[in-house]
Amino acid sequence: MTHLEMTYRNAIEQTKNKIIEDMNNYFGSKKNIPTFEDYLADRGQYLEQIWTNVWLNKATNNVPKQEKITFLMEKGFETENVSRKIINHLFRTEIRTYKTFDTYNWVNEKFNDQIEQWSDQYHKARAHFLQREEEDRLRIEMVRLQDEMEQTIEKIIDANEGALYLYIRYFTAEQLASDFKHKRKFAPVDTFALEEKLVEIGAFSETSYLTISTFFYELTGEIHKTRHHGRAYFEYETYYDRYERLYAEYLAEILPKLVVEQMPDSIANEYRNTFSETTTAAMIENILEYVYEPLANELIESIQDEYVSDLLMLSTIPFDLNEHEKLYEEALEDRERKWIEEQAEIERKKEEEKRILDDIFGQEYRPALERNIRYTLHIGETNTGKTHHALEKMKAANTGMYLAPLRLLAIEVYEKLNGEETPCSLKTGEEEKIISGANHISCTVEMFHEKDFYDCIVIDEAQMLNDKDRGFSWYKAITKANAKEVHIIGSWSAKEMILQLLGDAEIEIYEYTRDIPLEVEKKEFKINQVKKGDALICFSRKRVLETASRLENAKHSVSMIYGSMPPETRKKQVQRFINGETSIIVSTDAIGMGLNLPIRRIVFLENEKFDGTRRRLLTSQEVKQIAGRAGRKGIYNVGKVSFVSDIKTMKRLLDSEDKPVQTFSVAPTNAIFERFQKYYRDLGTFFELWEQFDSPNGTKKASLSEERELYNRIHGTEIEARLSITDLYGFLHLPFSKKEPDLIWQWEQTMYAILNNADLPEPRIKKRNLEELELSYKAIGLHLLFLYRLDQRTEALYWERLREEISDHVHERLRTDVKNMAKKCRRCGRKLPWEHEFQICDECHMNQSRRRYGE
């Protein structure tokens, strides 16, 4: 027998079954038995369609493909290379008329004139229909009654909320008393750290816990199953977990009985009349099955504020609902009183902390100006002669002090004044050069001391007021300068803030503009267009050295400037450019402050810089400060500025007005530390208070992040224990590179030597390469900071000479090593073309991408 024939037989049987099923449904909806003719009239269309639907579906799905092909070939169809979809379509079309089953004839033979069979079929179908109808009605009624009962149970629970809490409160009291007596305490661990073995640390002490919530954090010593984000985990069980489970079990004991007792008779009677059953605790328990855990969770949250002492006392009093209700009300009143007292104590402490903060920091950061000082502001753009005019005033005074933003500038002014036969000493923290008979001194701004009097003080680069770490030094110098006249030099952006700080003091303002215009070149700069007198600007030491090497190898003579370069080396590099020994300078933005050079054109090789947190576009002030170095009166009548990309945006920054300085920085002073020590004895607390202190409007606090990080290294050590707070902070505040591990180590070893009255450890001197020489220079600088702080000036002279030798080595290395430098992939070290845009080669980049894709 073929599949087609078998399918045909099955289709006939299924058709008959469906007709009978449809007939039963038809009979079930009729209250009176219909005639055979009525049935045919009502369901004739169904009888016509049912065979075709059943047959086509079965034949299409059950007959194998090969048999379909054979069938179609017998009908004369070509099936070779024909898709399955087309074969199915052709087969379905041709099979439609295959041995049609006459449904009318079958029904007629089975039921027409068969009165008894027809009647029997009707009554069976009708009875089955009514039975289903009654079951549906009862089911609907059951759902309605269950909903009504659930709502009633919810109302009963709400009405007994207070009583349930009292039951749970007493249950908790008894359980707590038992646990305190019989259970052991474990050392705390992360509950998910099952690999850690629990360690017993003794019995529970009721005095260790104020409220039950603090006890709930303790571990029971058991492991239980929990769920987080839909996933099941095992973890160490806490008493919170255990009590929540015990609450659910206890509620399962008392709640069904309570609900049965308070269930309204109307609901119970309706249930009994409908289902011939009585409402029992077992039936209600089925409804309550999903209530216990949520209710237990609500109750355990409510009980968190109960005092442990109250509960332990309660455990000794037999339970009586009315009596325990009175006890609870008394406990609530007592708790409210304690809460009010606690809040009052918190407020008192806040006020005390506020008073202490105000006393420590107080009026420290309000300007305290001497009104008999004559102030002169020199305000203008870069390279306009501001500093020159101010220094001329200082030279003419009997005594004078110059405050520089950089050690290099302090040295430059020191040498300039001595070269012009105005004896001048130098003090930067890393060196002191005292010139016999000198009445003038050149310092870095951090060396300013308000008690020293001078006829004239010059404060340079005053826009540094808003520097987050160093700005306070300018603030202190401006507001507490002790002199007959004070000359303040700054950019336009600082003018309003300086005037605000000076208030109604006598002020004379000189405004400077450039005699030499700046001209932005219209075409993007290419490295092969470099010419004599160009200064190429980039924003990392590595980029400076790579660019210089590229130019040196292209037969250009190059000077270099970057921030970590020793000032003496920088001076020599600059002098070579001034003398014409080099034709090009490659520099970071260090060129933008205080260096007056014969620069024809400033070229920005980058429009962005990394500011310690992220790469960002240069600010308008940064572009102006650097671009202003282009042009030199008498040499270049126009200062040219060039960019490698996005000329329109960079020109807009250059041409835009300076945003005024809105804030200035504040930092701790000796007076603050003196007041602080009236209350506290550790520097860690000081850093915390500094965080809490809200600096006055218009100011921002120095972050002190480097000092705090260094303090954390020596917290609790002999260094902290044996030094006063003021001395310890002074050592933490020493200006050295706190990102260098070698220098941090040197600082610590030196601190221990000071405490033990031992010789200071000598700095490590390494000379194998340029990086080591520069680090050795910094190490000597740190050593000098300690020597001058300890007043060991004779030894300091030796180390100053040695540092100068290191500086000479750096200078020579720059002249010789840079030519041999190459741009290399930072991953594999492969040599890269100079014009390669990225820090890694294409192959390393591809490998990195493949790894990420594979992950």
Side-chain angles (χ1 to χ4, degrees):
M1 183 182 296
T2 64
H3 282 88
L4 185 61
E5 291 170 344
M6 288 176 62
T7 302
Y8 178 75
R9 292 184 181 184
N10 290 337
I12 289 174
E13 290 305 313
Q14 185 174 344
T15 301
K16 291 177 181 179
N17 291 336
K18 284 188 172 293
I19 290 171
I20 296 299
E21 183 182 340
D22 178 70
M23 183 180 290
N24 288 337
N25 290 335
Y26 176 76
F27 284 156
S29 63
K30 304 294 183 183
K31 291 183 179 180
N32 299 311
I33 186 170
T35 65
F36 183 71
E37 289 73 17
D38 289 337
Y39 166 73
L40 291 179
D42 291 338
R43 302 303 297 160
Q45 187 175 0
Y46 177 79
L47 291 174
E48 289 177 357
Q49 293 177 349
I50 186 60
W51 163 252
T52 303
N53 292 340
V54 171
W55 168 237
L56 289 179
N57 286 336
K58 277 195 165 293
T60 303
N61 295 330
N62 296 347
V63 176
K65 178 182 177 182
Q66 193 55 48
E67 200 167 318
K68 291 177 183 176
I69 291 172
T70 302
F71 179 85
L72 290 172
M73 289 175 64
E74 290 175 356
K75 295 286 186 178
F77 288 96
E78 180 60 49
T79 59
E80 190 174 354
N81 298 324
V82 176
S83 69
R84 179 187 292 272
K85 185 176 180 181
I86 293 175
I87 288 174
N88 283 338
H89 175 71
L90 292 173
F91 179 75
R92 189 177 177 89
T93 302
E94 291 300 316
I95 207 70
R96 182 180 290 272
T97 57
Y98 177 84
K99 298 182 182 179
T100 303
F101 175 63
D102 190 345
T103 53
Y104 269 99
N105 186 53
W106 179 77
V107 170
N108 191 60
E109 288 179 358
K110 188 170 181 64
F111 292 106
N112 194 17
D113 297 330
Q114 302 293 324
I115 297 172
E116 186 177 345
Q117 186 175 350
W118 181 255
S119 176
D120 186 52
Q121 188 75 23
Y122 167 76
H123 289 297
K124 285 180 181 178
R126 180 64 178 169
H128 184 64
F129 173 82
L130 293 175
Q131 181 184 349
R132 285 203 318 273
E133 200 173 56
E134 177 64 12
E135 290 172 354
D136 290 343
R137 185 191 68 79
L138 289 174
R139 193 178 299 109
I140 293 168
E141 187 65 15
M142 171 67 86
V143 171
R144 184 190 67 78
L145 273 174
Q146 188 166 336
D147 286 345
E148 187 175 349
M149 197 172 291
E150 286 176 358
Q151 292 174 18
T152 303
I153 289 172
E154 189 175 329
K155 290 177 182 177
I156 292 171
I157 292 173
D158 289 343
N160 289 273
E161 182 180 0
L164 285 172
Y165 182 78
L166 293 176
Y167 277 112
I168 286 292
R169 187 169 183 255
Y170 182 65
F171 176 83
T172 305
E174 289 190 309
Q175 186 67 41
L176 184 66
S178 173
D179 288 338
F180 269 42
K181 184 177 180 180
H182 300 108
K183 301 295 184 182
R184 307 294 289 174
K185 184 175 181 177
F186 294 95
V189 297
D190 182 352
T191 58
F192 284 107
L194 297 180
E195 69 279 2
E196 293 189 32
K197 188 176 180 180
L198 296 184
V199 179
E200 279 192 20
I201 55 175
F204 287 112
S205 170
E206 61 184 80
T207 57
S208 301
Y209 308 98
L210 179 62
T211 62
I212 189 71
S213 63
T214 54
F215 171 70
F216 280 163
Y217 283 110
E218 297 289 353
L219 300 172
T220 67
E222 303 295 332
I223 295 173
H224 78 130
K225 191 175 183 180
T226 184
R227 298 189 72 82
H228 286 271
H229 304 295
R231 295 182 63 185
Y233 296 90
F234 287 94
E235 65 172 346
Y236 284 121
E237 181 187 59
T238 64
Y239 279 94
Y240 182 99
D241 303 320
R242 175 174 289 181
Y243 275 55
E244 187 177 24
R245 189 181 71 251
L246 292 174
Y247 285 3
E249 293 171 359
Y250 181 59
L251 288 170
E253 292 178 17
I254 65 171
L255 204 53
K257 183 180 177 182
L258 179 69
V259 170
V260 169
E261 290 173 353
Q262 299 187 22
M263 183 67 69
D265 292 340
S266 58
I267 294 179
N269 292 335
E270 187 176 4
Y271 187 89
R272 183 171 56 252
N273 294 335
T274 304
F275 302 106
S276 301
E277 297 177 15
T278 56
T279 53
T280 64
M283 181 273 294
I284 289 176
E285 194 167 331
N286 289 334
I287 297 175
L288 288 172
E289 184 179 355
Y290 299 103
V291 173
Y292 302 132
E293 287 188 10
L295 186 55
N297 183 259
E298 288 180 23
L299 288 166
I300 201 169
E301 290 300 322
S302 300
I303 212 163
Q304 300 276 335
D305 295 331
E306 290 279 359
Y307 288 110
V308 167
S309 57
D310 289 348
L311 292 175
L312 292 175
M313 181 195 70
L314 190 70
S315 67
T316 64
I317 302 172
F319 185 76
D320 175 82
L321 190 60
N322 293 329
E323 180 65 21
H324 274 242
E325 187 173 9
K326 291 177 184 177
L327 292 171
Y328 179 56
E329 289 172 358
E330 291 172 4
L332 280 179
E333 290 176 5
D334 185 57
R335 195 189 307 171
E336 179 69 18
R337 178 183 58 77
K338 288 180 180 177
W339 184 84
I340 292 171
E341 290 173 357
E342 288 169 2
Q343 292 303 117
E345 179 63 14
I346 289 170
E347 286 302 314
R348 188 194 67 75
K349 286 182 178 178
K350 283 183 180 178
E351 288 301 316
E352 179 66 8
E353 287 173 1
K354 186 177 178 182
R355 186 192 68 77
I356 290 172
L357 279 174
D358 186 61
D359 184 40
I360 293 172
F361 300 107
Q363 310 300 315
E364 189 70 20
Y365 302 112
R366 292 183 181 175
L369 299 168
E370 294 288 342
R371 298 307 177 194
N372 60 346
I373 296 176
R374 186 170 67 253
Y375 292 92
T376 302
L377 266 61
H378 300 268
I379 300 295
E381 300 167 342
T382 303
N383 211 0
T384 54
K386 305 186 298 294
T387 305
H388 171 75
H389 286 94
L391 286 175
E392 288 300 309
K393 295 287 185 181
M394 188 184 90
K395 282 170 59 180
N398 290 328
T399 60
M401 170 185 273
Y402 170 74
L403 298 175
L406 301 173
R407 177 171 162 253
L408 173 66
L409 293 184
I411 294 171
E412 186 178 298
V413 169
Y414 157 78
E415 292 176 343
K416 173 183 171 64
L417 265 61
N418 283 306
E420 295 172 354
E421 298 184 353
T422 300
C424 180
S425 297
L426 174 70
K427 187 175 182 180
T428 68
E430 292 184 40
E431 69 259 278
E432 290 185 12
K433 299 185 186 298
I434 307 301
I435 303 300
S436 178
N439 294 322
H440 293 74
I441 188 167
S442 180
C443 308
T444 48
V445 69
E446 282 80 7
M447 296 294 105
F448 167 77
H449 197 283
E450 60 193 83
K451 293 182 180 178
D452 297 333
F453 176 83
Y454 293 90
D455 288 321
C456 180
I457 293 177
V458 174
I459 305 168
D460 206 352
E461 302 292 355
Q463 70 275 3
M464 293 284 287
L465 262 169
N466 73 337
D467 183 274
K468 66 183 178 68
D469 293 314
R470 299 181 64 208
F472 184 64
S473 296
W474 276 268
Y475 167 81
K476 188 166 66 171
I478 291 170
T479 60
K480 300 189 178 183
N482 189 9
K484 290 180 180 178
E485 59 180 290
V486 176
H487 290 261
I488 303 170
I489 305 164
S491 66
W492 292 104
S493 63
K495 179 181 176 182
E496 293 303 319
M497 177 57 73
I498 296 170
L499 290 175
Q500 182 181 330
L501 288 177
L502 297 180
D504 57 359
E506 180 186 346
I507 306 169
E508 185 176 9
I509 302 176
Y510 289 96
E511 295 183 346
Y512 298 77
T513 55
R514 287 178 63 94
D515 293 331
I516 299 172
L518 286 178
E519 180 183 294
V520 176
E521 295 186 339
K522 295 179 179 179
K523 291 185 178 180
E524 293 181 351
F525 176 82
K526 305 294 182 186
I527 195 71
N528 58 6
Q529 298 168 349
V530 67
K531 294 180 181 178
K532 182 179 179 180
D534 283 349
L536 278 55
I537 309 301
C538 36
F539 297 100
S540 72
R541 171 186 177 279
K542 183 173 184 291
R543 184 79 188 272
V544 166
L545 295 175
E546 286 179 352
T547 305
S549 179
R550 182 177 184 182
L551 292 171
E552 289 274 4
N553 282 290
K555 308 304 181 185
H556 294 285
S557 54
V558 181
S559 287
M560 288 152 275
I561 301 173
Y562 50 84
S564 60
M565 179 182 286
E568 297 85 355
T569 305
R570 188 184 316 186
K571 180 182 174 183
K572 290 176 181 177
Q573 290 287 317
V574 166
Q575 198 60 46
R576 292 185 70 213
F577 182 75
I578 293 172
N579 295 340
E581 295 175 42
T582 59
S583 58
I584 297 162
I585 282 186
V586 182
S587 174
T588 62
D589 49 353
I591 202 173
M593 196 169 287
L595 293 175
N596 292 314
L597 301 168
I599 296 172
R600 181 185 71 89
R601 175 173 64 174
I602 289 285
V603 179
F604 287 82
L605 296 182
E606 299 177 88
N607 296 342
E608 296 180 338
K609 67 179 289 188
F610 182 73
D611 62 6
T613 306
R614 61 186 177 86
R615 282 195 67 82
R616 59 163 176 80
L617 186 68
L618 297 173
T619 65
S620 172
Q621 178 61 32
E622 287 168 338
V623 174
K624 289 178 181 179
Q625 187 83 13
I626 297 167
R629 295 300 166 193
R632 184 74 176 265
K633 199 168 183 178
I635 302 176
Y636 303 111
N637 294 325
V638 175
K640 293 185 178 292
V641 183
S642 187
F643 302 97
V644 294
S645 64
D646 207 357
I647 296 174
K648 188 175 180 181
T649 297
M650 302 309 291
K651 187 176 187 305
R652 188 182 72 246
L653 291 174
L654 182 62
D655 294 340
S656 63
E657 289 187 15
D658 287 348
K659 289 183 179 179
V661 173
Q662 300 288 344
T663 60
F664 60 88
S665 291
V666 295
T669 63
N670 286 339
I672 283 176
F673 281 112
E674 288 172 8
R675 291 194 292 271
F676 170 78
Q677 290 176 87
K678 291 192 302 182
Y679 303 98
Y680 306 102
R681 289 290 177 269
D682 69 293
L683 204 51
T685 302
F686 177 82
F687 285 122
E688 291 174 8
L689 290 178
W690 183 254
E691 287 294 316
Q692 296 173 28
F693 163 59
D694 291 327
S695 62
N697 289 338
T699 69
K700 56 185 177 182
K701 295 181 294 186
S703 67
L704 305 189
S705 58
E706 289 187 346
E707 290 85 349
R708 189 166 192 167
E709 190 173 332
L710 198 54
Y711 168 76
N712 289 337
R713 290 180 65 94
I714 54 90
H715 175 54
T717 67
E718 183 185 7
I719 296 174
E720 181 179 28
R722 293 178 56 184
L723 287 174
S724 71
I725 288 176
T726 306
D727 286 344
L728 177 56
Y729 183 79
F731 284 119
L732 293 171
H733 194 59
L734 287 176
F736 70 97
S737 179
K738 298 180 176 74
K739 301 297 183 185
E740 298 281 359
D742 283 0
L743 299 185
I744 294 290
W745 181 87
Q746 179 184 333
W747 180 89
E748 286 188 71
Q749 297 307 306
T750 305
M751 292 300 298
Y752 282 114
I754 292 170
L755 293 177
N756 296 317
N757 292 319
D759 292 336
L760 301 189
E762 294 189 356
R764 294 171 175 173
I765 308 300
K766 299 178 182 178
K767 302 179 180 180
R768 289 179 301 180
N769 53 48
L770 188 58
E771 287 80 6
E772 286 190 353
L773 282 168
E774 289 176 353
L775 184 57
S776 298
Y777 183 93
K778 292 177 184 177
I780 296 174
L782 176 57
H783 190 59
L784 284 166
L785 286 171
F786 278 107
L787 291 174
Y788 280 115
R789 191 174 184 88
L790 300 172
D791 205 27
Q792 298 180 16
R793 299 174 187 276
T794 303
E795 188 177 350
L797 292 174
Y798 164 76
W799 287 101
E800 281 190 18
R801 286 195 298 271
L802 182 57
R803 183 172 63 172
E804 193 168 340
E805 291 177 14
I806 296 292
S807 175
D808 290 339
H809 283 305
V810 172
H811 182 66
E812 290 304 315
R813 285 280 187 154
L814 284 170
R815 296 184 66 177
T816 57
D817 290 9
V818 166
K819 274 190 179 181
N820 300 323
M821 284 189 65
K823 187 169 185 176
K824 294 180 180 179
C825 173
R826 68 183 181 192
R827 288 185 180 274
C828 68
R830 183 178 300 161
K831 192 172 180 180
L832 298 172
W834 289 112
E835 61 274 5
H836 189 76
E837 185 177 354
F838 305 103
Q839 298 296 316
I840 62 174
C841 65
D842 292 340
E843 186 175 336
C844 286
H845 175 68
M846 289 296 294
N847 290 338
Q848 179 177 299
S849 299
R850 287 193 197 101
R851 281 196 298 273
R852 285 178 182 167
Y853 181 77
E855 290 170 1

